[in-house]
Amino acid sequence: MSKPFIMDHPLIQHKITLLRDKNTGSKEFRELTNEIAMLMCYEATRDMPMKQVEVETPICVGKFNVIAGRKIAFIPILRAGLGMVDGLLSLVPAAKVGHIGMYRDPDTHMPVEYYCKLPADIQERDILVLDPMLATGGSAVDAINQLKARGCTNIKFMCIIAAPEGLAAMEKAHPDVQIYVGALDDHLNEHMYIVPGLGDAGDRIFGTK
Ligand code: URA
């Protein structure tokens, strides 16, 4: 089982603190979410395979590294995961994007899937599942169940803030999935919000509250 990778880089921590501030408006919140995703992508793609190609510099011909043609897919969990996609695409523009729609039943707090549209060759791709908040872990566990049911094997998960409860649920259900975390918070409150957290990430990204 891989340990969650907690990103303690000062740039990521600084931007997450700005996200937490309740006075940060939607425009800045969206920009920060994408910037954090982009910074986290740097680490999450560290093991991308390389190959050598021949290039002629102004001085001589040499062999140099480029990313090998392995395929990658970003799968945001709707809707808050959408807020991370542009940041990732700015670093990996050739990636395909699939979508899984989940909502949390307000009474049971259980995830309900209402949408799933994935690239046709999803089984052949390295997959990065995205959700800014890993709270109970229900949506992430369920989204990854859906991907595995479709034959996907090489799956990673990226969130900006995690609760210990969500990490435990993910590690129990999907010990093979490497998790990338911007900040590990304290606990969930009685409404299943992360404390201290940043509130409802979807509402803050889309200005729906
Ligand atoms: N989803 C959010 O957007 N925020 C939380 O604190 C928990 C789940």
Side-chain angles (χ1 to χ4, degrees):
M1 177 172 73
S2 319
K3 273 190 166 338
F5 194 120
I6 315 254
M7 310 244 171
D8 56 0
H9 193 286
L11 281 173
I12 295 176
Q13 296 309 309
H14 177 85
K15 288 175 191 291
I16 292 176
T17 298
L18 297 175
L19 277 189
R20 293 185 190 278
D21 187 336
K22 68 176 188 180
N23 295 313
T24 298
S26 282
K27 176 178 181 291
E28 196 186 349
F29 195 95
R30 271 196 297 274
E31 289 166 357
L32 287 163
T33 302
N34 275 309
E35 286 167 9
I36 293 164
M38 186 164 61
L39 292 167
M40 291 181 74
C41 181
Y42 180 80
E43 197 54 52
T45 53
R46 182 178 282 286
D47 60 356
M48 272 177 134
M50 309 283 280
K51 66 176 181 187
Q52 291 223 311
V53 295
E54 195 171 277
V55 170
E56 186 174 0
T57 78
I59 312 298
C60 68
V61 173
K63 291 212 167 204
F64 304 97
N65 288 328
V66 291
I67 292 165
R70 191 112 135 252
K71 298 168 172 178
I72 190 162
F74 300 133
I75 313 286
I77 300 177
L78 302 179
R79 72 190 155 137
L82 285 176
M84 302 166 78
V85 172
D86 285 349
L88 295 168
L89 285 176
S90 64
L91 283 191
V92 192
K96 292 260 164 74
V97 182
H99 297 87
I100 295 185
M102 320 272 305
Y103 69 88
R104 232 176 1 157
D105 184 291
D107 298 322
T108 65
H109 303 303
M110 293 301 288
V112 181
E113 184 191 306
Y114 64 90
Y115 186 77
C116 185
K117 183 82 180 172
L118 302 170
D121 59 353
I122 190 69
Q123 300 86 356
E124 294 158 31
R125 290 181 176 267
D126 293 342
I127 294 171
L128 190 55
V129 177
L130 313 170
D131 195 341
M133 308 298 277
L134 181 66
T136 62
S139 303
V141 166
D142 220 57
I144 293 168
N145 282 338
Q146 301 299 334
L147 292 167
K148 287 184 173 174
R150 289 166 170 88
C152 302
T153 50
N154 197 356
I155 303 172
K156 297 175 178 175
F157 176 79
M158 181 191 286
C159 62
I160 295 178
I161 298 182
E165 295 89 333
L167 281 182
M170 277 287 283
E171 284 169 27
K172 183 161 179 245
H174 298 298
D176 54 310
V177 171
Q178 177 66 58
I179 304 173
Y180 297 89
V181 180
L184 176 57
D185 274 13
D186 203 53
H187 64 280
L188 297 176
N189 69 13
E190 67 277 21
H191 304 292
M192 302 299 140
Y193 278 92
I194 298 176
V195 181
L198 50 70
D200 187 302
D203 279 341
R204 296 197 62 190
I205 290 166
F206 295 108
T208 44
K209 201 161 185 194

